[in-house]
Amino acid sequence: MSRPTTNSEDTMTSTPSHSEADVPRGPLAGLTDPSAYEAPMPTERTVKLRTNLPIQAYRFAAVSLKMTRMILRSHG
Amino acid sequence: MARVVVLGAGISGHTAALHLRRMLDKRHEVVVVSPNSQWNWIPSNIWVGVGRMKPSQVTFPLKPVYDKHGVDFRQAKAVALHPEGDERTAKGYVDVVYTDPARAGEMQSIEYDYVINATGPKLNFAATPGLGPDGHTVSVCTYGHADEAAKQLADVIAKLRAGQKQTLVIGVGHGTCTCEGAAFEYTFNVEHELRAAGVRDLAEIIYLTNEYDLGDFGVGGLTFKQGGFVTSSKLWTESLFKERGVKSILRAHVQKVEEGRIFYETLDGSQDTLDFDFAMLLPPFRGQDLQAFARDGSDITAQVFAPSGFLKVDADYTAKPVEEWKASDWPSTYVSPSYPNVFGVGIAFAPPHPISTPRKAPNGTVISPAPPRTGMPSGLMGRAVAMNIADMISGKSNSPQHHASMAEMGAACVASAGAGFTKGTAASMTMYPVVPDYDKFPGYGRSLTETTGEIGLAGHWMKHLLHVMFIYKAKGKLGWSMIPE
Protein backbone atom coordinates (compact mmCIF):
# COMPACT_ATOMS: atom_id res chain seq x y z
CA MET A 1 0.00 0.00 0.00
CA SER A 2 1.47 3.39 -0.88
CA ARG A 3 1.57 5.72 2.07
CA PRO A 4 1.28 9.50 1.96
CA THR A 5 3.92 11.55 3.71
CA THR A 6 3.10 14.03 6.40
CA ASN A 7 5.20 16.98 7.36
CA SER A 8 5.38 16.00 10.99
CA GLU A 9 8.94 15.54 12.22
CA ASP A 10 10.12 14.24 8.85
CA THR A 11 8.26 10.99 8.66
CA MET A 12 5.49 8.95 7.15
CA THR A 13 2.14 7.92 8.43
CA SER A 14 -0.42 5.36 7.43
CA THR A 15 -3.84 5.77 5.95
CA PRO A 16 -6.51 4.29 8.17
CA SER A 17 -7.46 0.97 6.67
CA HIS A 18 -9.93 -0.27 9.24
CA SER A 19 -13.57 -0.90 8.83
CA GLU A 20 -15.88 -2.21 11.52
CA ALA A 21 -15.85 -5.59 9.76
CA ASP A 22 -12.12 -6.14 9.68
CA VAL A 23 -11.25 -4.94 13.19
CA PRO A 24 -10.09 -7.98 15.15
CA ARG A 25 -11.90 -8.66 18.39
CA GLY A 26 -10.42 -10.13 21.55
CA PRO A 27 -7.44 -8.74 23.48
CA LEU A 28 -6.36 -5.31 22.28
CA ALA A 29 -3.23 -5.24 20.14
CA GLY A 30 -0.21 -4.45 22.27
CA LEU A 31 -2.12 -3.96 25.51
CA THR A 32 -0.02 -4.86 28.53
CA ASP A 33 -1.53 -5.37 31.92
CA PRO A 34 0.73 -3.85 34.59
CA SER A 35 0.91 -7.18 36.38
CA ALA A 36 2.73 -8.60 33.35
CA TYR A 37 5.81 -6.43 33.88
CA GLU A 38 8.73 -8.18 35.48
CA ALA A 39 9.83 -4.97 37.18
CA PRO A 40 9.95 -5.18 40.96
CA MET A 41 6.93 -4.01 42.92
CA PRO A 42 7.88 -1.53 45.65
CA THR A 43 7.19 -2.69 49.17
CA GLU A 44 4.65 -0.84 51.29
CA ARG A 45 7.57 0.60 53.28
CA THR A 46 9.24 1.94 50.14
CA VAL A 47 6.02 3.61 49.02
CA LYS A 48 5.53 5.18 52.46
CA LEU A 49 9.11 6.48 52.51
CA ARG A 50 8.40 8.32 49.26
CA THR A 51 6.13 10.68 51.18
CA ASN A 52 7.86 10.57 54.56
CA LEU A 53 8.53 14.23 55.40
CA PRO A 54 11.94 13.98 57.15
CA ILE A 55 13.27 11.50 54.59
CA GLN A 56 11.99 13.59 51.70
CA ALA A 57 13.42 16.79 53.17
CA TYR A 58 16.81 15.05 53.12
CA ARG A 59 16.21 13.76 49.57
CA PHE A 60 15.19 17.27 48.48
CA ALA A 61 18.57 18.56 49.62
CA ALA A 62 20.34 15.67 47.88
CA VAL A 63 18.38 16.09 44.61
CA SER A 64 19.01 19.86 44.72
CA LEU A 65 22.74 19.25 44.96
CA LYS A 66 22.71 16.78 42.07
CA MET A 67 20.73 19.16 39.90
CA THR A 68 22.91 22.12 40.83
CA ARG A 69 26.01 20.15 39.85
CA MET A 70 24.37 19.20 36.55
CA ILE A 71 23.26 22.77 35.87
CA LEU A 72 26.68 24.24 36.64
CA ARG A 73 28.37 21.68 34.41
CA SER A 74 25.96 22.42 31.57
CA HIS A 75 26.43 26.18 31.90
CA GLY A 76 30.14 25.79 31.29
CA MET B 1 23.14 50.53 15.87
CA ALA B 2 22.11 46.92 15.38
CA ARG B 3 18.70 45.29 15.55
CA VAL B 4 18.14 41.72 16.72
CA VAL B 5 14.75 40.22 15.99
CA VAL B 6 13.64 37.24 18.06
CA LEU B 7 10.78 35.25 16.58
CA GLY B 8 8.91 33.56 19.40
CA ALA B 9 8.69 34.14 23.14
CA GLY B 10 8.74 30.66 24.59
CA ILE B 11 11.48 29.39 26.88
CA SER B 12 14.22 29.69 24.25
CA GLY B 13 13.19 32.95 22.57
CA HIS B 14 12.32 34.74 25.81
CA THR B 15 15.61 33.67 27.39
CA ALA B 16 17.53 34.91 24.35
CA ALA B 17 15.67 38.23 24.30
CA LEU B 18 16.21 39.02 27.99
CA HIS B 19 19.90 38.10 27.85
CA LEU B 20 20.41 40.14 24.67
CA ARG B 21 18.79 43.15 26.29
CA ARG B 22 21.00 42.67 29.36
CA MET B 23 24.19 42.32 27.30
CA LEU B 24 23.66 44.93 24.59
CA ASP B 25 23.78 48.64 25.26
CA LYS B 26 20.70 50.72 24.60
CA ARG B 27 21.88 51.89 21.16
CA HIS B 28 20.94 48.45 19.90
CA GLU B 29 17.40 47.22 19.48
CA VAL B 30 15.93 43.90 20.60
CA VAL B 31 12.59 43.15 18.96
CA VAL B 32 10.45 40.18 19.97
CA VAL B 33 7.73 38.97 17.61
CA SER B 34 5.27 36.52 19.13
CA PRO B 35 1.66 35.77 18.21
CA ASN B 36 0.86 35.18 21.89
CA SER B 37 0.37 37.98 24.40
CA GLN B 38 1.06 35.64 27.32
CA TRP B 39 4.16 33.79 28.45
CA ASN B 40 3.34 30.23 29.54
CA TRP B 41 5.36 28.00 31.87
CA ILE B 42 4.38 24.92 29.91
CA PRO B 43 5.70 22.26 32.36
CA SER B 44 2.96 23.30 34.81
CA ASN B 45 0.19 22.89 32.23
CA ILE B 46 0.00 19.32 33.58
CA TRP B 47 -1.41 20.73 36.81
CA VAL B 48 -3.84 22.97 34.93
CA GLY B 49 -4.98 19.84 33.08
CA VAL B 50 -6.06 18.14 36.29
CA GLY B 51 -7.59 21.29 37.81
CA ARG B 52 -4.84 21.83 40.41
CA MET B 53 -3.87 25.20 38.92
CA LYS B 54 -5.67 27.90 37.01
CA PRO B 55 -4.32 29.19 33.67
CA SER B 56 -3.50 32.50 35.38
CA GLN B 57 -1.02 30.66 37.63
CA VAL B 58 1.08 29.44 34.70
CA THR B 59 0.99 32.58 32.55
CA PHE B 60 1.71 36.30 32.63
CA PRO B 61 1.44 39.06 30.02
CA LEU B 62 4.65 39.62 28.05
CA LYS B 63 4.27 43.29 27.19
CA PRO B 64 4.80 44.78 30.68
CA VAL B 65 7.97 42.70 31.11
CA TYR B 66 9.33 43.79 27.74
CA ASP B 67 8.35 47.41 28.36
CA LYS B 68 10.26 47.34 31.66
CA HIS B 69 13.38 45.90 30.05
CA GLY B 70 13.31 48.01 26.90
CA VAL B 71 12.47 45.20 24.50
CA ASP B 72 10.25 46.14 21.55
CA PHE B 73 7.39 43.61 21.65
CA ARG B 74 5.19 43.10 18.62
CA GLN B 75 2.30 40.70 19.01
CA ALA B 76 2.43 39.21 15.56
CA LYS B 77 3.14 36.01 13.69
CA ALA B 78 6.18 35.69 11.42
CA VAL B 79 5.22 34.40 7.99
CA ALA B 80 8.25 34.93 5.73
CA LEU B 81 11.97 35.32 6.04
CA HIS B 82 13.99 37.32 3.51
CA PRO B 83 17.58 36.63 4.61
CA GLU B 84 19.09 38.37 1.55
CA GLY B 85 16.76 41.35 1.57
CA ASP B 86 15.38 42.35 -1.83
CA GLU B 87 15.81 45.02 -4.51
CA ARG B 88 14.68 47.63 -1.96
CA THR B 89 17.12 46.75 0.85
CA ALA B 90 20.26 44.69 1.27
CA LYS B 91 19.32 43.90 4.85
CA GLY B 92 17.51 40.73 5.81
CA TYR B 93 13.95 41.20 6.97
CA VAL B 94 11.01 39.23 8.21
CA ASP B 95 7.36 39.64 7.23
CA VAL B 96 4.92 39.51 10.12
CA VAL B 97 1.15 39.61 10.44
CA TYR B 98 -0.19 41.18 13.62
CA THR B 99 -2.34 39.11 15.96
CA ASP B 100 -2.60 41.99 18.43
CA PRO B 101 -6.37 42.69 18.46
CA ALA B 102 -5.67 46.42 17.94
CA ARG B 103 -3.78 45.75 14.68
CA ALA B 104 -5.13 42.31 13.72
CA GLY B 105 -4.25 41.30 10.17
CA GLU B 106 -1.88 44.22 9.56
CA MET B 107 1.31 43.18 7.74
CA GLN B 108 4.76 44.59 8.42
CA SER B 109 8.32 43.96 7.31
CA ILE B 110 10.95 44.17 10.06
CA GLU B 111 14.60 44.52 9.02
CA TYR B 112 17.24 42.84 11.13
CA ASP B 113 20.96 42.51 11.60
CA TYR B 114 20.47 39.19 13.37
CA VAL B 115 17.36 37.03 13.64
CA ILE B 116 16.65 34.14 16.00
CA ASN B 117 13.96 31.69 14.99
CA ALA B 118 12.49 30.46 18.27
CA THR B 119 8.99 29.91 16.97
CA GLY B 120 8.55 26.56 18.70
CA PRO B 121 6.35 23.83 17.31
CA LYS B 122 3.24 23.94 15.24
CA LEU B 123 0.90 21.53 17.01
CA ASN B 124 0.18 19.25 14.07
CA PHE B 125 -3.16 17.79 15.13
CA ALA B 126 -4.04 17.60 11.43
CA ALA B 127 -1.56 14.72 10.95
CA THR B 128 -4.06 12.43 12.67
CA PRO B 129 -7.70 12.79 11.63
CA GLY B 130 -9.95 13.45 14.62
CA LEU B 131 -7.07 14.30 16.97
CA GLY B 132 -7.14 17.34 19.22
CA PRO B 133 -9.51 19.87 20.71
CA ASP B 134 -11.21 20.38 17.34
CA GLY B 135 -11.62 16.61 17.10
CA HIS B 136 -12.33 14.08 19.81
CA THR B 137 -9.40 14.29 22.22
CA VAL B 138 -7.97 16.86 24.59
CA SER B 139 -4.42 18.16 24.95
CA VAL B 140 -2.25 19.87 27.57
CA CYS B 141 0.07 21.59 25.08
CA THR B 142 -1.30 25.06 25.82
CA TYR B 143 -2.85 26.48 28.97
CA GLY B 144 -6.16 26.81 27.11
CA HIS B 145 -6.06 23.17 26.03
CA ALA B 146 -5.15 22.10 29.56
CA ASP B 147 -8.03 24.08 31.04
CA GLU B 148 -10.45 22.29 28.71
CA ALA B 149 -8.86 18.93 29.64
CA ALA B 150 -9.49 19.69 33.31
CA LYS B 151 -13.17 20.37 32.62
CA GLN B 152 -13.57 17.10 30.74
CA LEU B 153 -11.69 15.24 33.46
CA ALA B 154 -14.08 16.71 36.05
CA ASP B 155 -16.99 15.31 34.01
CA VAL B 156 -15.32 11.88 34.00
CA ILE B 157 -14.87 12.02 37.77
CA ALA B 158 -18.54 12.94 38.18
CA LYS B 159 -19.54 9.89 36.10
CA LEU B 160 -17.24 7.67 38.12
CA ARG B 161 -18.84 8.98 41.30
CA ALA B 162 -22.21 8.05 39.81
CA GLY B 163 -20.92 4.49 39.45
CA GLN B 164 -20.21 4.51 35.69
CA LYS B 165 -17.02 2.76 34.56
CA GLN B 166 -14.75 4.98 32.48
CA THR B 167 -11.77 4.32 30.22
CA LEU B 168 -9.12 7.03 30.11
CA VAL B 169 -6.47 6.91 27.41
CA ILE B 170 -3.44 9.16 27.79
CA GLY B 171 -0.41 9.31 25.56
CA VAL B 172 0.61 10.41 22.09
CA GLY B 173 -1.57 10.77 19.01
CA HIS B 174 0.92 9.85 16.27
CA GLY B 175 3.83 7.49 15.72
CA THR B 176 6.36 10.33 15.53
CA CYS B 177 5.37 12.40 18.54
CA THR B 178 7.80 13.76 21.10
CA CYS B 179 7.23 14.93 24.71
CA GLU B 180 6.41 11.45 26.03
CA GLY B 181 7.51 12.78 29.42
CA ALA B 182 4.52 15.13 29.45
CA ALA B 183 2.16 12.26 28.61
CA PHE B 184 3.75 10.22 31.41
CA GLU B 185 3.23 13.10 33.84
CA TYR B 186 -0.38 13.60 32.88
CA THR B 187 -1.09 9.87 33.20
CA PHE B 188 0.08 9.74 36.79
CA ASN B 189 -1.43 13.07 37.75
CA VAL B 190 -4.81 11.84 36.51
CA GLU B 191 -4.30 8.54 38.34
CA HIS B 192 -3.44 10.50 41.50
CA GLU B 193 -6.54 12.69 41.18
CA LEU B 194 -8.84 9.68 40.65
CA ARG B 195 -7.34 8.03 43.71
CA ALA B 196 -7.80 11.22 45.73
CA ALA B 197 -11.42 11.41 44.59
CA GLY B 198 -11.98 7.82 45.72
CA VAL B 199 -13.02 6.63 42.25
CA ARG B 200 -9.90 4.87 41.01
CA ASP B 201 -11.45 1.39 41.12
CA LEU B 202 -13.99 2.15 38.39
CA ALA B 203 -11.48 3.75 36.05
CA GLU B 204 -9.24 1.99 33.57
CA ILE B 205 -6.20 4.07 32.64
CA ILE B 206 -4.27 3.15 29.49
CA TYR B 207 -1.01 4.82 28.48
CA LEU B 208 -0.75 4.77 24.68
CA THR B 209 2.71 5.55 23.34
CA ASN B 210 5.06 5.33 20.38
CA GLU B 211 7.94 4.42 22.71
CA TYR B 212 9.49 0.97 22.17
CA ASP B 213 9.77 0.51 25.94
CA LEU B 214 8.37 2.36 28.90
CA GLY B 215 10.90 4.91 30.16
CA ASP B 216 12.28 5.71 26.71
CA PHE B 217 11.02 9.33 26.92
CA GLY B 218 12.36 10.05 23.44
CA VAL B 219 15.95 9.94 24.68
CA GLY B 220 16.46 6.21 24.23
CA GLY B 221 15.90 5.62 27.94
CA LEU B 222 18.32 6.22 30.77
CA THR B 223 20.76 4.01 32.62
CA PHE B 224 21.80 4.81 36.17
CA LYS B 225 23.12 3.36 39.38
CA GLN B 226 20.66 2.47 42.12
CA GLY B 227 21.00 0.23 45.16
CA GLY B 228 24.31 -1.15 44.03
CA PHE B 229 23.06 -2.04 40.55
CA VAL B 230 23.12 -0.45 37.16
CA THR B 231 19.46 -0.23 36.26
CA SER B 232 17.34 1.29 33.51
CA SER B 233 14.54 3.79 33.26
CA LYS B 234 12.57 0.97 31.60
CA LEU B 235 12.59 -1.15 34.74
CA TRP B 236 12.01 1.87 36.92
CA THR B 237 9.02 3.08 34.87
CA GLU B 238 7.51 -0.39 34.57
CA SER B 239 7.67 -0.64 38.33
CA LEU B 240 5.68 2.58 38.66
CA PHE B 241 3.08 1.37 36.16
CA LYS B 242 2.80 -1.88 38.10
CA GLU B 243 2.46 -0.11 41.44
CA ARG B 244 -0.19 2.32 40.18
CA GLY B 245 -2.10 -0.21 38.06
CA VAL B 246 -1.76 1.62 34.73
CA LYS B 247 -2.06 -0.44 31.54
CA SER B 248 0.01 0.40 28.50
CA ILE B 249 0.01 0.05 24.75
CA LEU B 250 3.56 0.50 23.47
CA ARG B 251 4.99 0.98 19.97
CA ALA B 252 1.73 2.44 18.67
CA HIS B 253 0.80 4.88 15.94
CA VAL B 254 -2.66 6.43 16.12
CA GLN B 255 -4.20 6.44 12.64
CA LYS B 256 -7.39 8.32 13.40
CA VAL B 257 -9.78 9.13 16.19
CA GLU B 258 -13.54 9.02 16.04
CA GLU B 259 -16.01 9.90 18.78
CA GLY B 260 -15.01 7.58 21.63
CA ARG B 261 -12.77 5.35 19.51
CA ILE B 262 -9.06 5.35 18.65
CA PHE B 263 -7.78 3.48 15.59
CA TYR B 264 -4.15 2.47 15.91
CA GLU B 265 -1.46 0.19 14.59
CA THR B 266 1.58 -1.21 16.34
CA LEU B 267 5.14 -1.89 15.31
CA ASP B 268 4.46 -5.60 14.75
CA GLY B 269 1.88 -4.74 12.10
CA SER B 270 -1.24 -5.31 14.22
CA GLN B 271 -4.16 -2.93 13.86
CA ASP B 272 -6.87 -2.41 16.41
CA THR B 273 -9.33 0.00 17.96
CA LEU B 274 -9.56 1.26 21.50
CA ASP B 275 -12.77 2.70 22.93
CA PHE B 276 -12.46 5.57 25.39
CA ASP B 277 -14.46 7.97 27.51
CA PHE B 278 -11.61 10.47 27.92
CA ALA B 279 -8.47 10.78 25.83
CA MET B 280 -5.54 13.17 26.18
CA LEU B 281 -3.26 12.53 23.23
CA LEU B 282 -0.38 14.86 22.39
CA PRO B 283 0.01 15.89 18.75
CA PRO B 284 3.14 15.50 16.62
CA PHE B 285 5.13 18.68 16.05
CA ARG B 286 6.29 20.38 12.89
CA GLY B 287 7.88 23.73 12.24
CA GLN B 288 5.74 26.84 11.98
CA ASP B 289 4.59 27.85 8.51
CA LEU B 290 7.49 30.17 7.81
CA GLN B 291 8.67 30.56 4.22
CA ALA B 292 12.02 31.88 3.02
CA PHE B 293 12.74 33.94 -0.09
CA ALA B 294 15.96 34.91 -1.89
CA ARG B 295 16.82 38.46 -2.96
CA ASP B 296 15.21 37.85 -6.37
CA GLY B 297 12.00 36.65 -4.72
CA SER B 298 12.52 32.96 -5.48
CA ASP B 299 11.37 30.50 -2.84
CA ILE B 300 14.32 29.09 -0.85
CA THR B 301 12.24 27.52 1.93
CA ALA B 302 13.64 24.05 1.16
CA GLN B 303 17.19 25.39 1.44
CA VAL B 304 16.68 27.15 4.75
CA PHE B 305 14.23 24.76 6.43
CA ALA B 306 14.09 20.96 6.72
CA PRO B 307 11.00 19.20 5.25
CA SER B 308 9.59 19.12 8.79
CA GLY B 309 9.54 22.94 8.80
CA PHE B 310 12.36 23.30 11.34
CA LEU B 311 15.33 25.58 10.61
CA LYS B 312 18.50 23.90 9.38
CA VAL B 313 21.46 24.83 11.57
CA ASP B 314 25.06 23.68 12.08
CA ALA B 315 24.13 19.99 12.42
CA ASP B 316 25.28 17.10 10.25
CA TYR B 317 22.14 16.20 8.32
CA THR B 318 23.77 13.39 6.34
CA ALA B 319 21.43 10.39 6.44
CA LYS B 320 23.20 7.60 8.28
CA PRO B 321 22.32 4.39 10.13
CA VAL B 322 21.91 4.53 13.88
CA GLU B 323 25.22 2.70 14.39
CA GLU B 324 27.02 5.66 12.81
CA TRP B 325 25.32 8.39 14.81
CA LYS B 326 27.82 10.63 16.57
CA ALA B 327 27.55 13.26 19.26
CA SER B 328 29.17 15.63 16.78
CA ASP B 329 26.12 15.33 14.49
CA TRP B 330 24.32 17.69 16.85
CA PRO B 331 24.52 21.46 16.41
CA SER B 332 26.34 23.65 18.90
CA THR B 333 25.97 27.26 17.71
CA TYR B 334 22.54 26.96 16.02
CA VAL B 335 23.60 29.19 13.15
CA SER B 336 22.11 28.62 9.71
CA PRO B 337 24.66 27.09 7.32
CA SER B 338 23.37 29.45 4.60
CA TYR B 339 23.12 32.71 6.54
CA PRO B 340 25.55 33.59 9.40
CA ASN B 341 23.08 36.04 10.96
CA VAL B 342 20.17 33.58 11.14
CA PHE B 343 19.83 31.26 14.15
CA GLY B 344 17.33 28.59 15.20
CA VAL B 345 16.87 27.54 18.85
CA GLY B 346 14.57 25.42 21.00
CA ILE B 347 12.12 23.22 19.15
CA ALA B 348 12.52 25.42 16.06
CA PHE B 349 15.91 23.99 15.04
CA ALA B 350 15.97 20.85 12.89
CA PRO B 351 17.61 17.96 14.77
CA PRO B 352 19.98 15.80 12.69
CA HIS B 353 18.21 12.60 13.68
CA PRO B 354 16.25 11.13 16.61
CA ILE B 355 17.89 10.07 19.87
CA SER B 356 15.72 6.95 20.30
CA THR B 357 16.33 4.19 17.77
CA PRO B 358 14.06 4.78 14.76
CA ARG B 359 11.73 1.93 13.89
CA LYS B 360 9.15 1.16 11.22
CA ALA B 361 6.15 -1.17 11.11
CA PRO B 362 6.15 -3.76 8.32
CA ASN B 363 4.01 -1.42 6.21
CA GLY B 364 6.54 1.42 6.53
CA THR B 365 4.84 3.47 9.24
CA VAL B 366 7.48 5.13 11.42
CA ILE B 367 6.75 4.45 15.08
CA SER B 368 9.43 6.00 17.26
CA PRO B 369 9.74 9.22 19.25
CA ALA B 370 11.16 12.43 17.82
CA PRO B 371 13.90 13.98 19.99
CA PRO B 372 12.79 16.28 22.81
CA ARG B 373 14.48 19.69 22.87
CA THR B 374 12.53 21.65 25.43
CA GLY B 375 13.13 22.94 28.95
CA MET B 376 16.70 23.34 30.16
CA PRO B 377 18.35 22.58 26.78
CA SER B 378 16.07 25.16 25.15
CA GLY B 379 17.07 27.82 27.65
CA LEU B 380 20.78 27.02 27.28
CA MET B 381 20.54 27.31 23.48
CA GLY B 382 18.78 30.68 23.77
CA ARG B 383 21.45 31.95 26.17
CA ALA B 384 24.39 30.74 24.04
CA VAL B 385 22.96 32.30 20.87
CA ALA B 386 22.31 35.58 22.73
CA MET B 387 25.93 35.62 23.96
CA ASN B 388 27.24 34.96 20.46
CA ILE B 389 25.14 37.70 18.88
CA ALA B 390 26.10 40.17 21.62
CA ASP B 391 29.79 39.35 21.09
CA MET B 392 29.52 39.78 17.32
CA ILE B 393 27.66 43.08 17.64
CA SER B 394 30.15 44.47 20.14
CA GLY B 395 33.08 43.31 18.01
CA LYS B 396 34.44 40.78 20.50
CA SER B 397 34.29 38.06 17.87
CA ASN B 398 33.46 37.59 14.22
CA SER B 399 31.83 34.20 14.59
CA PRO B 400 29.93 32.27 17.28
CA GLN B 401 32.29 31.19 20.07
CA HIS B 402 29.77 29.98 22.66
CA HIS B 403 28.46 26.46 22.27
CA ALA B 404 25.41 24.64 23.60
CA SER B 405 25.33 21.21 22.01
CA MET B 406 22.77 18.80 23.41
CA ALA B 407 25.57 16.23 23.27
CA GLU B 408 27.61 18.31 25.71
CA MET B 409 24.92 19.50 28.09
CA GLY B 410 22.89 17.73 30.71
CA ALA B 411 19.28 18.12 31.63
CA ALA B 412 17.43 18.11 34.90
CA CYS B 413 13.91 16.77 34.46
CA VAL B 414 11.21 16.52 37.08
CA ALA B 415 8.19 14.51 35.96
CA SER B 416 5.24 14.94 38.27
CA ALA B 417 3.43 11.77 39.29
CA GLY B 418 0.77 13.53 41.35
CA ALA B 419 0.41 16.93 42.99
CA GLY B 420 0.14 17.79 46.70
CA PHE B 421 2.54 19.22 49.28
CA THR B 422 2.41 16.12 51.50
CA LYS B 423 0.99 13.44 49.19
CA GLY B 424 2.48 14.40 45.83
CA THR B 425 5.32 12.57 44.12
CA ALA B 426 7.52 13.17 41.11
CA ALA B 427 10.33 11.44 39.32
CA SER B 428 13.47 13.56 39.56
CA MET B 429 15.90 12.71 36.80
CA THR B 430 19.20 14.11 35.68
CA MET B 431 21.00 12.99 32.56
CA TYR B 432 24.36 13.88 31.14
CA PRO B 433 24.61 14.37 28.28
CA VAL B 434 21.15 14.63 26.72
CA VAL B 435 22.40 13.08 23.48
CA PRO B 436 24.39 9.94 24.28
CA ASP B 437 28.09 10.07 23.46
CA TYR B 438 29.43 6.52 23.18
CA ASP B 439 32.97 7.73 22.50
CA LYS B 440 33.12 9.65 25.75
CA PHE B 441 30.96 7.26 27.78
CA PRO B 442 31.45 3.77 26.32
CA GLY B 443 28.76 1.27 27.19
CA TYR B 444 25.84 3.48 28.17
CA GLY B 445 26.50 6.71 26.26
CA ARG B 446 25.95 8.80 29.39
CA SER B 447 27.74 9.37 32.67
CA LEU B 448 26.55 6.91 35.32
CA THR B 449 27.50 9.46 37.96
CA GLU B 450 25.55 12.34 36.45
CA THR B 451 22.56 10.32 35.26
CA THR B 452 20.22 9.68 38.16
CA GLY B 453 16.60 9.06 38.96
CA GLU B 454 14.37 8.75 42.01
CA ILE B 455 10.70 9.03 42.88
CA GLY B 456 9.30 10.83 45.88
CA LEU B 457 7.67 13.85 47.45
CA ALA B 458 11.00 15.69 47.17
CA GLY B 459 10.52 15.63 43.40
CA HIS B 460 7.13 17.31 43.74
CA TRP B 461 8.64 20.05 45.89
CA MET B 462 11.39 20.44 43.31
CA LYS B 463 8.90 20.77 40.46
CA HIS B 464 6.94 23.37 42.42
CA LEU B 465 10.14 25.25 43.22
CA LEU B 466 11.07 25.26 39.52
CA HIS B 467 7.58 26.59 38.72
CA VAL B 468 8.06 29.53 41.10
CA MET B 469 11.69 30.15 40.13
CA PHE B 470 11.25 30.11 36.37
CA ILE B 471 8.17 32.31 36.38
CA TYR B 472 10.12 34.77 38.56
CA LYS B 473 13.05 34.60 36.16
CA ALA B 474 10.86 34.97 33.08
CA LYS B 475 9.28 38.07 34.60
CA GLY B 476 12.77 39.58 34.60
CA LYS B 477 12.61 40.45 38.28
CA LEU B 478 15.59 41.47 40.43
CA GLY B 479 18.45 39.01 39.99
CA TRP B 480 16.70 37.06 37.19
CA SER B 481 19.92 36.48 35.28
CA MET B 482 21.48 34.76 38.31
CA ILE B 483 18.92 31.96 38.03
CA PRO B 484 20.34 29.37 35.64
CA GLU B 485 18.49 28.23 32.55
Side-chain angles (χ1 to χ4, degrees), chain A residues 6-72:
Chain A
T6 87
N7 291 322
S8 292
E9 297 271 8
D10 77 358
T11 186
M12 304 174 76
T13 188
S14 61
T15 305
S17 58
H18 297 291
S19 69
E20 286 288 338
D22 65 14
V23 172
R25 293 295 103 196
L28 287 169
L31 183 70
T32 303
D33 191 87
S35 61
Y37 289 121
E38 290 179 7
M41 185 77 165
T43 61
E44 196 176 320
R45 181 171 179 272
T46 299
V47 173
K48 278 189 176 165
L49 288 179
R50 286 181 185 163
T51 51
N52 178 285
L53 292 176
I55 297 281
Q56 291 302 313
Y58 165 71
R59 292 313 307 160
F60 180 77
V63 169
S64 300
L65 277 174
K66 277 184 204 168
M67 290 195 171
T68 303
R69 194 171 59 187
M70 165 69 57
I71 288 163
L72 291 176

Side-chain angles (χ1 to χ4, degrees), chain B residues 302-358:
Chain B
Q303 176 197 329
V304 177
F305 294 94
S308 53
F310 299 115
L311 188 84
K312 289 181 193 169
V313 291
D314 59 320
D316 180 355
Y317 294 108
T318 313
K320 55 179 94 168
V322 62
E323 298 77 21
E324 293 177 21
W325 288 357
K326 291 277 181 194
S328 55
D329 296 343
W330 288 76
S332 66
T333 62
Y334 303 92
V335 66
S336 162
S338 307
Y339 301 99
N341 60 345
V342 176
F343 296 81
V345 293
I347 293 174
F349 87 83
H353 47 67
I355 301 175
S356 300
T357 303

Side-chain angles (χ1 to χ4, degrees), chain B residues 185-324:
Chain B
E185 284 191 276
Y186 193 65
T187 301
F188 287 100
N189 270 268
V190 166
E191 198 275 341
H192 181 81
E193 295 303 325
L194 297 185
R195 204 176 286 272
V199 294
R200 178 67 179 91
D201 291 350
L202 285 172
E204 180 165 72
I205 303 178
I206 300 172
Y207 178 69
L208 177 73
T209 183
N210 56 352
E211 294 158 282
Y212 190 80
D213 287 316
L214 289 178
D216 181 283
F217 298 129
V219 293
L222 306 173
T223 306
F224 44 81
K225 286 188 279 189
Q226 199 167 55
F229 291 86
V230 174
T231 189
S232 67
S233 54
K234 172 180 184 287
L235 204 67
W236 196 60
T237 311
E238 284 180 356
S239 178
L240 186 64
F241 273 67
K242 197 170 184 175
E243 176 202 336
R244 305 277 283 265
V246 176
K247 295 180 178 178
S248 62
I249 297 176
L250 299 173
R251 308 162 195 173
H253 162 69
V254 175
Q255 298 167 315
K256 67 171 179 175
V257 185
E258 292 181 351
E259 181 68 39
R261 180 166 287 184
I262 294 165
F263 294 73
Y264 69 98
E265 63 179 287
T266 53
L267 206 52
D268 64 4
S270 305
Q271 301 198 16
D272 214 333
T273 60
L274 171 59
D275 292 344
F276 67 90
D277 299 293
F278 172 93
M280 194 298 287
L281 297 177
L282 299 174
F285 293 166
R286 60 162 284 112
Q288 298 287 355
D289 300 322
L290 191 55
Q291 290 180 291
F293 297 96
R295 185 174 178 78
D296 62 5
S298 57
D299 191 327
I300 54 168
T301 305
Q303 176 197 329
V304 177
F305 294 94
S308 53
F310 299 115
L311 188 84
K312 289 181 193 169
V313 291
D314 59 320
D316 180 355
Y317 294 108
T318 313
K320 55 179 94 168
V322 62
E323 298 77 21
E324 293 177 21

Side-chain angles (χ1 to χ4, degrees), chain B residues 57-109:
Chain B
Q57 291 173 276
V58 298
T59 57
F60 63 81
L62 283 164
K63 193 169 185 316
V65 175
Y66 287 144
D67 284 348
K68 179 177 144 194
H69 284 267
V71 172
D72 180 353
F73 176 55
R74 308 191 191 187
Q75 193 189 330
K77 179 181 165 65
V79 293
L81 192 63
H82 301 261
E84 300 168 6
D86 56 19
E87 73 285 347
R88 181 179 52 85
T89 174
K91 267 193 169 182
Y93 67 92
V94 58
D95 292 332
V96 307
V97 178
Y98 277 84
T99 55
D100 181 342
R103 303 175 69 176
E106 185 185 324
M107 291 195 70
Q108 189 177 45
S109 296

